Amino acid sequence: DIIPFFHRMYLQLTLVLSISLGIIQAVDRSNFKTCEQSAFCSRQRALRPGQSSYRALLDTLELSDSRLTLQLLNNNNKVRLLLELYRLQGNITRVKINELKPIKPRYEVPDVLITDPPTEPMSVVAQDERGVVLSLGGVDRRLYVNAQPFRLDIMEGPKLVLSINSRGLLAFEQLRMRKDTNDQKDTEEAGKKEDTEKIEDKASEGEEQEMEVDQPGMWEETFKSHVDSKPNGPSSISLDFSLPGVEHVYGIPEHADSLRLKNTDGGDPYRLYNLDVFQYELFNPMALYGAVPVLLSHNTHRTTGLFWLNAAETWVDISSGQVGLCGRTDGSGEVPQTDVRWISESGIIDVFIMLGPRPADVFSQYASLTGTQAFPPLSSLAYHQSRWNYNDQEDVAAVDRGFDEHDIPYDFIWLDIEHTDGKRYFTWDKNNFPQPKDMLQGLMDKRRKMVTIVDPHIKVDSSYKIHSEIRSRGYYVKNKDGGDYEGWCWPGNAGYPDFTNPEMRTWWASMFAYDQYEGSMENLYTWNDMNEPSVFNGPEVTMLKDALHGPWEHRDVHNLYGLYVQMATAEGQIRRSGGLERPFVLSRSFFAGSQRYGAVWTGDNSAEWGHLKMSIPMCLSLGLVGISFCGADVGGFFKTPGTELLVRWYQAGAYQPFFRAHAHLDTPRREPWLFGPDNTALIREAVRQRYALLPYWYLQFYQAHRTGQPVMRPLWVEYPEDVTTFTIDDGYLIGRDLLVHPVTDEGSRGVTVYLPGNGEVWYDVHTFQRHDGALHLHIPVTMSTIPVFQRGGSIICRKNRIRRSSSCMENDPFTLYVALDPQGNAEGELYVDDGHTFKHETDRQFIHRRLRFTSNTLSSSDLSPDSQFPTASWVEKVVILGAQEPKAVTLTSSGGGESSVEFEFDPVTLVLTLRKPDVNAGVDWTLQLQ
Amino acid sequence: MHCPILIAVVIWSSCVDSQKIRGISLSYKRFYRERKSFLCIDGSKLIPFDQVNDDYCDCADGSDEPGTAACPDGRFYCTNLGYRPHYIPSSRVNDAICDCCDASDEYNSHTACQNTCRNLGQRERAEVKSQMRALDQGLRLKQQLIEEGVLTWRDKQAQLRDLQRVLDDLQTQLDDLRKEDARRKKEVDALRELEIGALETEENSHRSHIMNESPVSIFYELDSNRDGRLSAKEVRAKLTDIQDGERVLSEDEAVIRGRVPGRLVKGEPVLKAAVSAAEKAAAELKKVEDAYETVYMEIRDLREKLATDYGPEREFLFLYNQCFQLKVHEYFYELCPFNQVTQTSASGAEVSLGKWGSWAGSPQHRYSQMKYENGEPCWQGPTRNTVVTLTCGTETALRSVKEPGKCQYVAEFQTPVACRPALRQQGVHSEL
């Protein structure tokens, strides 16, 4: 029994968060800051658009081969900034602004960029007293540096692509000495009086250096009894970007909001500050568990991206409207424009402008900076069964048995915090999990796997090895006075390892070795939760900003903490296998670059229809900024889903990248077979559809890993000129070829699906019915309907023999679904490897083939002749959609000669089925239709 | 590798017919007689016979591939010689997991499955044998418990009748006493009326009057039962005022002291006597009323308990008033059948996991499960409840308590009365 403990835990949590018992329906907003309550945001936002106080000092211009530097002078306080401009490979411009001479270094985010981005030569095209024009390559890409006021314009031919500081919101709070050095705080009265005097001084001094005015919250800030000591004083930065011709902007996850970002005028900006938000609310800009400071803008002819590389608390204001353009463009009338303003609490301005122009280009550009999605083990793309908590080994065995009894496949079963000995991670509860290896072996016998939770808060208990080692090695985050920082979390009093320290990460990784993590085996993987970090008694349920990570304040590194936890954990899994096996680590918190380390999920959602709907834009937004391996708790974490909602969530989740059912401790059990045979059958069917499509999912992840293209894509990514697609976030694409529009309304009798593509056709994957593109299609639905369409012109490989787990399907044959376009062509790919090692990379052990149907011939050719992988899989069936009846079908395979293939043709549905071509999946072959 | 499979298939099919019918039971053999063609069992399609078990699904009902994993919802028959034959989903054929104890499901995977049917069969037979013994013994014990139950039932019925008689008696007494009480009260009221009149005139001389009171009147005052003698009890009752501290008068003392005029005496002796008599009558009434209430409640409880469903033969009656304990790690569980389930933690805090609700087994086996409901409420959730599953055994004991879902407990309670002769046919274990 765990009730009394959790009662206690929750009571503590409740007291800490000041939430009321029993009637909590949604987030308690008062626990989290508004921009107004965040001193730097409020200070920065008080600055209104206008003429910039900065001017570029052109005489300081220095241009090396790849780097231009220039000083910027603040006319008001005479503080100088250093501007650095780089032209990076792949049509990216990097703009860095730091203080020219800061009194101490300002934080620059490490470990996010995969390398020092390679540059390309830049040249001055023109220069006069008004500014400089630089060539950014191409025929006519130019960067204009306007001297006074300071402003940057990126032009392509006569077209202005983007302006920086055109609204004059560059604001850089330079580091300064505290003026009241006697450390006695002035009374507010005195402070005010002083301020007034200074303002008068300024007026009289005219061009003289302005005395800095201390504003409240600059040197200390209090939020709900939590004091932030701010020993470094104010340090915030801000910059604005104008995007002419842009009405649609996306990205900057994580927010529970629509895919298209909203105007923030008159409300709070979108906030990026990793927080553990209890029962989060939908449709608002509040910060959630992760932060990726990347914003995409899109219109019919261009997609661009802004990557604001800063890990401190950040707010993003978005303002769209119509403006009259003047200056360098033709100036004809009103055009739409979106203005974006970034505000961060500390660090420097370091922004990457990714100039596209196509969506795919922006994804490649961003991938060239932060890397691509980790290629996950195939099994991690299958179904995951989780709950807080599976209580003991017998419970795990019973759930495992339940799946077999009901013939529902699954690959992973998950253990939440209760599996540990008193929330001491890397340990097992002695009563409930006395023989973890027996349990893991039992799963291994069924070719299944397990995940245990390992959180980054470490119980302060001298008899706990992990704690005493971290303490003795000095690896804990320190409080401002130098002692080990401690906060409350699941185990009670806990320390937080300093994951920003590479030594600490190496040590942490070593704890996953089989001889360190007792009871672990190779089919045990990891889940990092609470890594925002969550601190129950901390400000906004996280760490004090003046806590120290080596020389840096938590303020500087906050949004990076979760990334580092997942990084170190993934590294541990790789190392325990001697570098052979791919890791699988799920993380709740993330930052730019987290895609390199595993999967993320949308945190503690609720069993509500709105949350089911929201899972789509949330994962789409993450996909746009590189994080493809995303999912939401199927069924909803908090509260209890009705049966219809649960079934619909399984159907939706089966078509999202990370497919895991999870539930809160206080909710009744909801294993798939607990809702009557009809619902069991519906859930079984949804899960089976997932398993059949695993070859396609795996191929998508291989592509994402190689190219950085998202797996789950908004329609506009593939149809960038179709404005209808720009706001769609209830339907989406998996890769290019599958369009999914899950049913997310209670009692739904039909859905309206937008099928894009003028002149294209789409095939219902269940009925094979053909529909024209560029149309809204109303389709009636029943409880068994999952609206999914295959693009005409594509070939998708499935494995239709659904077994207990994905590993059991390893050698099974493929069925090829060839969906012809109106011209009678189709194309697709097949990727096969061992599913779990790095040998695809290290030894080039994989099969990557092109499948093409053209001129009545279907052929398989090698896309990677220098790689090889022996597979037992073969082609058992080919289903051609939109076909004509052939007279005969002949198979030619390399080394196999010619043979005739039986077929069946349905003249009503135009489906041609080729029976058992029986050719190995790894060889060249052609199927000729006569 | 696929090619070796094909070769193997060719070799097999040329040698033995049985290859073609891998995965079917004897009773299905008639559908698979070697002919030129094969009719899918659902009659939907006619295919060449060599497409049976050729690892491609032709029939919608999966009947052409009983021995391969080709059809989505097919089933494979494990002959399991030496053990019991059974079907597995055909998706478990050649998945590198040994499902049939005769290893027949893994004829083409790299997994080396051992034939374990003989061992399993032996073990199962031994197990069944011992379970049968236990069942027989359980059924005998059950018979005894049923007989005991019959006796208990009769006892209880007799007890109920007795109690009813007592209640009737008490009712009669009550009627009399209520009349007596009313009469006495009336008498006192009347006397008090008179006294008030008298007191008003004698008010000032009242104190000396008391002082001059004759010993006789004092005697009457003390002799509350009017038997002409003063008992220690009577004196003690009246003398509480003059007792010093906690000291209690001895019998002698009381008698002596009783004779001494004291300040306790007040009012006119007739009134005193009347008051005293009224008080006595009221006390007597109260006593009988209490007794009535007690007996009434006892009858109600007993009726309620007798109204509980103790099974078709009242075989569960013997559990009445019994409790069974079990310690699971740091928790101590107690099941009191037809009453409640509780959990006590190491710190001593007791939590109700539910009060007796109803029998909750399936319609065929209503008495195989008990439901206890409305225990202590959970945080942000419903009240705790417990489902107790009754299993057949020779002892009566609480075997396990678990909490698979928050605040939803399941317990196993073993008792001979859960033994049913039908279990003999089922081989005791339902999963076997």
Side-chain angles (χ1 to χ4, degrees), chain A residues 1 3 7 21 391 394 404 431 447 665-666 669 688 801-804 872 876 915-916 918, chain B residues 2 51 54-56 58 73 91-93 95 99 329 331 343 379 384 402-404 406 409:
Chain A
D1 183 294
I3 304 151
H7 258 290
L21 266 176
N391 299 333
E394 210 177 303
D404 287 345
N431 290 327
R447 308 184 73 180
L665 181 75
D666 288 333
R669 298 286 282 231
R688 283 185 174 190
R801 303 182 180 187
I802 311 305
R803 303 195 189 247
R804 268 179 285 214
E876 69 170 327
R915 185 188 190 278
K916 210 180 177 191
D918 200 0
Chain B
H2 187 57
Q51 288 184 11
D54 72 337
D55 207 15
Y56 183 90
D58 291 287
D73 287 303
S91 64
R92 292 175 197 174
V93 173
D95 66 349
D99 291 287
H329 306 316
Y331 291 100
Q343 175 203 57
W379 183 76
R384 287 173 175 75
K402 285 187 181 151
E403 190 190 9
K406 188 71 187 291
Y409 295 80

Side-chain angles (χ1 to χ4, degrees), chain A residues 660-875:
Chain A
R660 180 186 75 152
H662 186 51
H664 190 278
L665 181 75
D666 288 333
T667 62
R669 298 286 282 231
R670 50 169 105 136
E671 285 69 48
W673 49 86
L674 295 174
F675 305 91
D678 291 352
N679 293 303
T680 305
L682 289 168
I683 293 171
R684 178 192 299 123
E685 175 55 24
V687 178
R688 283 185 174 190
Q689 287 185 28
R690 170 59 164 233
Y691 275 73
L693 266 177
L694 282 174
Y696 183 72
W697 280 105
Y698 197 49
L699 171 68
Q700 298 315 309
F701 271 88
Y702 178 67
Q703 306 279 29
H705 172 64
R706 292 208 345 172
T707 67
Q709 302 301 306
V711 169
M712 190 172 164
R713 299 175 193 169
L715 299 189
W716 63 260
V717 166
E718 293 299 330
Y719 299 87
E721 288 166 27
D722 182 353
V723 291
T724 313
T725 64
F726 292 4
T727 52
I728 291 178
D729 61 9
D730 54 357
Y732 59 92
L733 294 161
I734 302 168
R736 274 180 73 201
D737 302 335
L738 276 185
L739 186 147
V740 187
H741 189 116
V743 180
T744 57
D745 281 306
E746 187 168 15
S748 182
R749 311 288 288 272
V751 293
T752 300
V753 181
Y754 182 70
L755 298 174
N758 209 351
E760 292 194 22
V761 292
W762 293 86
Y763 297 86
D764 185 310
V765 298
H766 310 296
T767 64
F768 300 142
Q769 200 186 342
R770 188 162 79 165
H771 304 282
D772 287 329
L775 281 177
H776 282 96
L777 174 72
H778 181 82
I779 54 163
V781 300
T782 64
M783 269 318 288
S784 64
T785 315
I786 315 176
V788 181
F789 302 86
Q790 183 177 346
R791 189 176 59 81
S794 66
I795 301 175
I796 288 178
C797 301
R798 294 174 190 249
K799 281 189 175 177
N800 285 337
R801 303 182 180 187
I802 311 305
R803 303 195 189 247
R804 268 179 285 214
S805 70
S806 67
S807 303
C808 294
M809 295 160 65
E810 188 185 359
N811 297 323
D812 280 344
F814 292 100
T815 295
L816 274 45
Y817 289 81
V818 181
L820 299 181
D821 66 14
Q823 290 73 44
N825 299 321
E827 209 173 275
E829 289 175 26
L830 173 66
Y831 177 84
V832 181
D833 66 11
D834 63 20
H836 57 94
T837 70
F838 285 111
K839 285 183 188 161
H840 66 97
E841 224 164 62
T842 52
D843 302 358
R844 296 195 65 74
Q845 288 193 9
F846 62 91
I847 295 165
H848 190 195
R849 304 193 70 80
R850 155 109 50 234
L851 303 164
R852 180 177 277 142
F853 187 95
T854 185
S855 315
N856 280 320
T857 305
L858 175 65
S859 60
S860 168
S861 59
D862 206 339
L863 271 171
S864 181
D866 65 337
S867 71
Q868 51 189 340
F869 179 72
T871 180
S873 293
W874 49 289
V875 179

Side-chain angles (χ1 to χ4, degrees), chain A residues 64-127:
Chain A
S64 70
D65 193 32
S66 58
R67 171 176 183 257
L68 177 142
T69 59
L70 194 59
Q71 292 178 19
L72 306 178
L73 178 74
N74 183 335
N75 291 327
N76 295 334
N77 62 10
K78 304 300 176 209
V79 173
R80 288 184 182 213
L81 304 179
L82 181 70
L83 167 75
E84 293 172 79
L85 293 170
Y86 300 87
R87 179 184 160 206
L88 303 183
Q89 276 177 18
N91 206 7
I92 305 168
T93 303
R94 183 181 193 177
V95 178
K96 265 177 103 166
I97 303 175
N98 197 352
E99 289 181 54
L100 181 65
K101 286 176 188 155
I103 57 171
K104 59 190 276 190
R106 298 179 67 117
Y107 187 70
E108 298 189 34
V109 176
D111 301 317
V112 167
L113 299 178
I114 46 173
T115 82
D116 202 10
T119 57
E120 286 192 300
M122 229 175 353
S123 57
V124 173
V125 176
Q127 183 172 4

Side-chain angles (χ1 to χ4, degrees), chain B residues 155-170:
Chain B
D155 271 7
K156 294 287 163 196
Q157 291 292 355
Q159 195 185 338
L160 187 62
R161 282 193 299 275
D162 289 352
L163 283 168
Q164 192 59 54
R165 261 199 303 276
V166 172
L167 193 72
D168 292 348
D169 251 26
L170 286 168

Side-chain angles (χ1 to χ4, degrees), chain B residues 60-319:
Chain B
D61 65 353
S63 57
D64 64 317
E65 296 295 320
T68 77
C71 289
D73 287 303
R75 50 183 202 162
F76 179 92
Y77 185 78
C78 308
T79 308
N80 290 351
L81 218 65
Y83 188 55
R84 270 170 307 109
H86 69 109
Y87 282 101
I88 58 168
S90 64
S91 64
R92 292 175 197 174
V93 173
N94 290 331
D95 66 349
I97 300 168
C98 309
D99 291 287
C100 305
C101 64
D102 63 3
S104 57
D105 60 319
E106 295 301 318
Y107 60 88
N108 191 34
S109 74
H110 299 298
T111 308
C113 297
Q114 304 297 315
N115 188 326
T116 56
C117 291
R118 184 188 295 271
N119 283 343
L120 279 175
Q122 279 171 355
R123 207 188 309 155
E124 189 198 47
R125 281 186 292 277
E127 210 168 290
V128 167
K129 213 166 148 190
S130 88
Q131 279 171 353
M132 285 304 131
R133 259 200 310 273
L135 177 59
D136 288 343
Q137 203 187 335
L139 287 169
R140 272 196 303 277
L141 287 166
K142 180 179 180 176
Q143 203 46 49
Q144 286 172 20
L145 288 165
I146 290 171
E147 281 156 22
E148 271 175 41
V150 170
L151 294 179
T152 314
W153 182 258
R154 281 187 198 142
D155 271 7
K156 294 287 163 196
Q157 291 292 355
Q159 195 185 338
L160 187 62
R161 282 193 299 275
D162 289 352
L163 283 168
Q164 192 59 54
R165 261 199 303 276
V166 172
L167 193 72
D168 292 348
D169 251 26
L170 286 168
Q171 185 64 55
T172 318
Q173 282 185 45
L174 267 182
D175 292 346
D176 294 349
L177 285 168
R178 283 200 180 112
K179 278 182 215 145
E180 171 73 2
D181 180 57
R183 194 178 60 79
R184 292 281 185 194
K185 280 207 177 93
K186 228 161 138 188
E187 195 179 297
V188 169
D189 289 347
L191 286 168
R192 201 160 267 157
E193 292 274 308
L194 287 173
E195 169 98 345
I196 289 163
L199 275 176
E200 274 165 3
T201 53
E202 289 179 34
E203 209 168 7
N204 294 330
S205 60
H206 180 64
R207 194 177 183 82
S208 57
H209 172 82
I210 292 167
M211 295 306 290
N212 296 335
E213 204 160 10
S214 70
V216 180
S217 62
I218 293 164
F219 180 84
Y220 278 117
E221 169 71 15
L222 291 172
D223 183 18
S224 50
N225 64 358
R226 298 289 180 268
D227 62 354
R229 290 182 303 161
L230 285 178
S231 71
K233 206 169 161 192
E234 284 167 324
V235 175
R236 265 191 226 113
K238 296 289 178 187
L239 285 187
T240 42
D241 283 1
I242 55 163
Q243 280 178 24
D244 35 352
E246 284 178 296
R247 193 173 153 242
V248 176
L249 293 179
S250 71
E251 198 128 329
D252 289 346
E253 250 181 327
V255 173
I256 294 159
R257 280 208 183 176
R259 293 198 183 103
V260 180
R263 58 187 175 83
L264 68 154
V265 186
K266 51 185 178 204
E268 206 272 333
V270 182
L271 177 60
K272 292 285 147 232
V275 167
S276 159
E279 279 168 358
K280 194 187 156 214
E284 192 68 15
L285 177 61
K286 178 81 175 53
K287 209 171 81 192
V288 179
E289 274 174 345
D290 287 352
Y292 184 88
E293 181 70 9
T294 310
V295 176
Y296 181 83
M297 296 297 276
E298 225 172 293
I299 289 171
R300 204 185 61 178
D301 284 359
L302 193 55
R303 280 223 176 97
E304 207 174 277
K305 275 175 184 154
L306 289 174
T308 303
D309 181 356
Y310 292 105
E313 300 176 88
R314 299 207 181 93
E315 63 269 39
F316 296 101
L317 182 64
F318 81 102
L319 295 171

Side-chain angles (χ1 to χ4, degrees), chain A residues 299-329:
Chain A
N299 61 25
T300 50
H301 53 277
R302 180 184 285 280
T303 309
T304 61
L306 290 173
F307 172 27
W308 176 266
L309 181 50
N310 188 299
E313 180 183 344
T314 296
W315 299 77
V316 186
D317 253 322
I318 289 160
S319 178
S320 303
Q322 305 284 318
V323 292
L325 272 191
C326 53
R328 297 187 183 90
T329 50

Side-chain angles (χ1 to χ4, degrees), chain A residues 402-581:
Chain A
F403 275 91
D404 287 345
E405 275 160 18
H406 299 90
D407 202 13
I408 301 171
Y410 89 95
D411 271 59
F412 281 82
I413 187 164
W414 292 54
L415 295 181
D416 208 321
I417 50 176
E418 310 304 326
H419 85 276
T420 61
D421 174 14
K423 318 298 178 302
R424 292 169 184 87
Y425 305 106
F426 301 100
T427 70
W428 303 83
D429 181 289
K430 285 175 200 66
N431 290 327
N432 296 322
F433 296 92
Q435 303 295 339
K437 283 194 176 178
D438 289 356
M439 171 177 63
L440 287 164
Q441 187 58 52
L443 292 169
M444 200 180 276
D445 291 346
K446 297 255 192 84
R447 308 184 73 180
R448 286 171 176 151
K449 299 168 173 67
M450 175 172 264
V451 167
T452 49
I453 197 163
V454 176
D455 287 351
H457 50 255
I458 304 300
K459 187 176 176 71
V460 174
D461 169 5
S462 54
S463 61
Y464 174 32
K465 182 188 84 176
I466 300 285
H467 164 75
S468 48
E469 285 234 15
I470 296 175
R471 171 158 283 182
S472 67
R473 289 165 187 260
Y475 285 160
Y476 275 125
V477 173
K478 304 284 187 280
N479 59 40
K480 67 177 176 358
D481 307 314
D484 284 350
Y485 171 85
E486 285 176 7
W488 275 85
C489 210
W490 299 124
N493 207 24
Y496 291 75
D498 182 4
F499 281 90
T500 69
N501 175 356
E503 266 179 50
M504 155 62 206
R505 292 200 299 273
T506 303
W507 176 85
W508 177 266
S510 73
M511 289 299 102
F512 289 89
Y514 297 120
D515 59 349
Q516 291 293 323
Y517 188 169
E518 277 173 46
S520 70
M521 280 171 53
E522 62 266 35
N523 63 338
L524 181 68
Y525 295 82
T526 311
W527 171 18
N528 293 147
D529 197 4
M530 316 297 277
N531 53 339
E532 293 75 24
S534 178
V535 182
F536 292 161
N537 60 342
E540 304 192 89
V541 203
T542 193
M543 194 175 279
L544 284 166
K545 282 178 170 171
D546 55 14
L548 294 169
H549 301 252
W552 301 107
E553 282 192 290
H554 184 67
R555 180 187 333 277
D556 300 310
V557 306
H558 176 85
N559 283 349
L560 265 179
Y561 191 83
L563 173 142
Y564 276 130
V565 174
Q566 196 184 15
M567 179 199 259
T569 304
E571 183 58 31
Q573 278 185 20
I574 295 171
R575 294 217 315 200
R576 71 174 186 182
S577 73
L580 188 68
E581 296 286 327

